[in-house]
Amino acid sequence: MGVQGTLDYLSDLISSAKKGKKRKQLNTVNLKVTRIDCEGCAMKMKKALSGVKSVDVDMKQQKVTVTGFVEAKKVLKAAKSTKKKIELWPYVPYNMVPHPYIAGAYDKKAPANFVRKVEDSMTPLEEQYTTMFSDENPDACTIM
């Protein structure tokens, strides 16, 4: 966290204890921003999101990570002031989704090893057929 981050945390902790206010938590907000092509776009995004602990721009994944005592709605509103198409980061790691190839989960534009987070919409019958021919099922069909 660093010395400055520790001092900020301690000063916020002490000031909130004196005033009786509920202290804010340190949050991380991930945003998907389309068309961050150059360092100028990255600097524009960092300037729009100033006043937080850190702003990390990943141009390859088109991702902006904001860390600080912030709320996601306020970060989204501030980032939209750059006139770019912005949404909360919709992707999760491939192994966190039970069925990564169902409709809506697989996205060609997603970074490597990521899929869209969707609710599991498989019916019990579809689930049964999926596991029937699975390599992980010891009672699966031996023809495969």
Side-chain angles (χ1 to χ4, degrees):
M1 182 158 41
V3 174
Q4 183 63 31
T6 305
L7 292 175
D8 289 342
Y9 175 75
L10 291 174
S11 68
D12 287 341
L13 183 66
I14 292 169
S15 66
S16 66
K18 288 180 181 176
K19 296 176 186 174
K21 293 192 309 184
K22 185 178 179 183
R23 66 173 206 248
K24 295 180 180 178
Q25 283 189 315
L26 185 68
N27 291 330
T28 300
V29 179
N30 295 317
L31 302 172
K32 179 184 179 192
V33 182
T34 55
R35 298 185 323 151
I36 297 181
D37 302 324
C38 62
E39 286 295 323
C41 296
M43 290 304 294
K44 185 177 179 182
M45 188 61 63
K46 286 182 180 181
K47 185 177 179 183
L49 297 170
S50 62
V52 296
K53 191 173 206 73
S54 70
V55 178
D56 182 37
V57 179
D58 186 354
M59 288 189 285
K60 185 176 180 183
Q61 288 188 348
Q62 303 286 300
K63 180 179 182 179
V64 175
T65 304
V66 180
T67 304
F69 299 100
V70 294
E71 296 175 14
K73 289 180 182 179
K74 290 182 180 180
V75 171
L76 198 59
K77 184 178 179 182
K80 285 188 177 183
S81 69
T82 61
K83 306 289 187 225
K84 293 192 178 288
K85 184 179 174 188
I86 298 172
E87 63 180 320
L88 291 175
W89 188 251
Y91 303 118
V92 294
Y94 178 87
N95 56 359
M96 298 296 292
V97 178
H99 305 288
Y101 291 107
I102 61 173
Y106 184 72
D107 187 0
K108 287 190 268 185
K109 295 180 182 178
N113 298 323
F114 283 89
V115 293
R116 282 195 175 270
K117 183 177 182 179
V118 294
E119 297 299 321
D120 194 12
S121 62
M122 291 186 83
T123 63
L125 184 62
E126 291 173 333
E127 183 79 34
Q128 180 183 0
Y129 285 131
T130 303
T131 57
M132 184 184 300
F133 295 104
S134 173
D135 291 337
E136 295 151 5
N137 183 359
D139 299 324
C141 182
T142 57
I143 298 172
M144 291 178 64

